[in-house]
Amino acid sequence: MEFLSTLNTMITDVLGPLGPIIILGTLGLIMVVITISMMLSQPEDPMAKLKKSVQSPSSELPQKRLRQGERNEQLKKFASFLEPKSASELSARQLQLRQAGYQSQDAVRFFHFAQFALGLLGLILAFIYLIVLGAGEGFSTQKMMIYTILPGVVGYYAPTYWITRRVDARKEEITQGFPDCLDMMLVCVEAGQSLDQSIVRVARELHASYPALAQEFDVVAYEMKAGKDKSAVLNDLGTRCGVLDLSSFVTVMIQSAAFGTSISEALRVYSSEMRDKRVMRAEEAANKLPTKMTLATMMLTVPPLLIILVGPSVHGITQLGNLSMNP
């Protein structure tokens, strides 16, 4: 105990009252760097070597996977750290990232890597700003810990906030473009094309105006070409987008195919409802506008009006008070 007390006194004399925290933080960073370097220097998986040897050496172009490209082999080494252990949590995170527009197989790993990297970067920047640059002089230990941990917490939760905003923006874009998509699909079906052909055509036409919706219909077209069941493809579309209007459209199409009714008639009725719904949505936003402007109007209009109306009276009362005090 005397040795520890002496060591603590020496560290405090050299580095100040936060010396033990500085040393522990430095040791933690060194251990993180050593662990990452050791994991990166792991030997190549024998199964990966075997797959490479099986490939034809005469092929100049690397083999590509359908739809989502090749996986990142560097992130694969950290799969146990960058992917949730629970299958349900992993599926929920994959669905959220797909709703945000990130279709890559490594999207979950990139997401958790971004959380780890930004959190660590926030801690390092806070450490440099408070300790190295001396901005934290005079702070108590509790205040220093709060100012050090807070940037790390902000960096850790920044990817979650970004993904949430991306999901909301993408859902709004799909909702806005869906009525036009139905009108184009109705025209294609009435012109004699099948539902599969109309989806391909609509996806091609929507890339300029509504790229998110066009991307989802491209996935539907590829899955249908691959031979997947049409009902399963449409159900996956509704789940993947997470938009209520699109889920209702999927239900209408599945029921129309199941009962043998006319797809064009179902599309005509549903597209008319979607147009009316878009008009109602615009009217709702317009009706909300006066309520939202009330606070701004009060803050920007009432104070100048009070100054103009009440200011001269207050000035006159002040002058009368001065005259009565100094006759």
Side-chain angles (χ1 to χ4, degrees):
M1 297 296 295
E2 294 180 358
F3 173 74
L4 294 178
S5 300
T6 305
L7 182 62
N8 189 21
T9 304
M10 293 175 58
I11 294 174
T12 305
D13 293 338
V14 175
L15 300 177
L18 297 177
I21 298 177
I22 296 174
I23 292 178
L24 289 176
T26 306
L27 291 176
L29 291 177
I30 293 173
M31 292 178 64
V32 169
V33 171
I34 292 175
T35 304
I36 293 176
S37 61
M38 291 178 63
M39 296 185 68
L40 286 175
S41 61
Q42 289 181 355
E44 188 177 3
D45 188 8
M47 293 299 297
K49 290 183 178 180
L50 181 60
K51 289 180 180 179
K52 290 181 180 180
S53 63
V54 170
Q55 291 181 2
S56 175
S58 60
S59 59
E60 297 179 358
L61 297 176
Q63 293 184 356
K64 295 182 179 180
R65 293 179 175 88
L66 292 176
R67 286 179 53 190
Q68 296 178 342
E70 298 180 352
R71 298 180 70 92
N72 192 304
E73 298 299 333
Q74 296 295 331
L75 290 178
K76 188 177 180 180
K77 298 178 181 180
F78 303 95
S80 58
F81 298 97
L82 298 178
E83 288 184 356
K85 301 297 181 182
S86 174
S88 59
E89 185 178 355
L90 178 61
S91 300
R93 182 64 68 184
Q94 286 177 342
L95 178 60
Q96 184 185 24
L97 291 173
R98 286 180 178 177
Q99 289 179 351
Y102 300 105
Q103 306 289 340
S104 173
Q105 294 180 354
D106 290 323
V108 178
R109 297 177 184 176
F110 275 115
F111 174 77
H112 289 288
F113 175 76
Q115 282 189 320
F116 172 77
L118 291 178
L120 186 61
L121 180 62
L123 292 176
I124 293 174
L125 292 178
F127 177 81
I128 293 174
Y129 179 72
L130 295 174
I131 305 301
V132 178
L133 300 180
E137 293 183 359
F139 286 1
S140 63
T141 305
Q142 183 178 4
K143 191 174 182 180
M144 182 68 73
M145 292 180 64
I146 292 175
Y147 277 73
T148 304
I149 295 174
L150 186 60
V153 174
V154 172
Y156 181 81
Y157 284 103
T160 303
Y161 175 75
W162 170 257
I163 292 299
T164 304
R165 292 291 301 273
R166 285 272 308 196
V167 169
D168 294 339
R170 201 164 185 270
K171 286 183 178 180
E172 181 66 23
E173 179 183 344
I174 292 174
T175 303
Q176 292 295 330
F178 190 58
D180 296 336
C181 168
L182 286 179
D183 292 337
M184 295 175 63
M185 192 177 297
L186 177 61
V187 171
C188 293
V189 170
E190 289 183 341
Q193 293 183 345
S194 64
L195 182 62
D196 303 354
Q197 294 173 340
S198 63
I199 288 176
V200 174
R201 179 66 179 180
V202 169
R204 188 188 311 162
E205 296 293 335
L206 288 177
H207 272 287
S209 54
Y210 302 104
L213 189 58
Q215 183 183 10
E216 296 297 335
F217 276 100
D218 280 336
V219 174
V220 172
Y222 291 146
E223 289 181 346
M224 287 183 176
K225 289 180 181 178
K228 193 174 180 180
D229 184 64
K230 187 180 297 184
S231 300
V233 172
L234 293 176
N235 283 324
D236 291 342
L237 173 65
T239 304
R240 189 169 57 247
C241 293
V243 178
L244 183 60
D245 294 342
L246 202 56
S247 300
S248 302
F249 165 74
V250 168
T251 304
V252 170
M253 290 295 100
I254 292 176
Q255 290 181 351
S256 177
F259 294 108
T261 57
S262 174
I263 295 179
S264 62
E265 186 64 27
L267 283 174
R268 183 179 296 106
V269 174
Y270 197 75
S271 63
S272 176
E273 291 181 358
M274 287 298 102
R275 285 195 300 271
D276 294 340
K277 193 172 183 180
R278 182 166 61 179
V279 173
M280 292 173 61
R281 195 181 295 116
E283 292 177 351
E284 180 182 359
N287 292 330
K288 288 181 180 179
L289 190 60
T291 305
K292 293 180 180 179
M293 293 180 62
T294 301
L295 182 60
T297 304
M298 292 177 61
M299 294 178 61
L300 299 176
T301 305
V302 175
L305 185 62
L306 290 177
I307 293 174
I308 293 172
L309 296 177
V310 183
S313 301
V314 173
H315 179 71
I317 293 172
T318 305
Q319 294 296 327
L320 289 176
N322 293 333
L323 291 175
S324 62
M325 293 177 61
N326 299 316

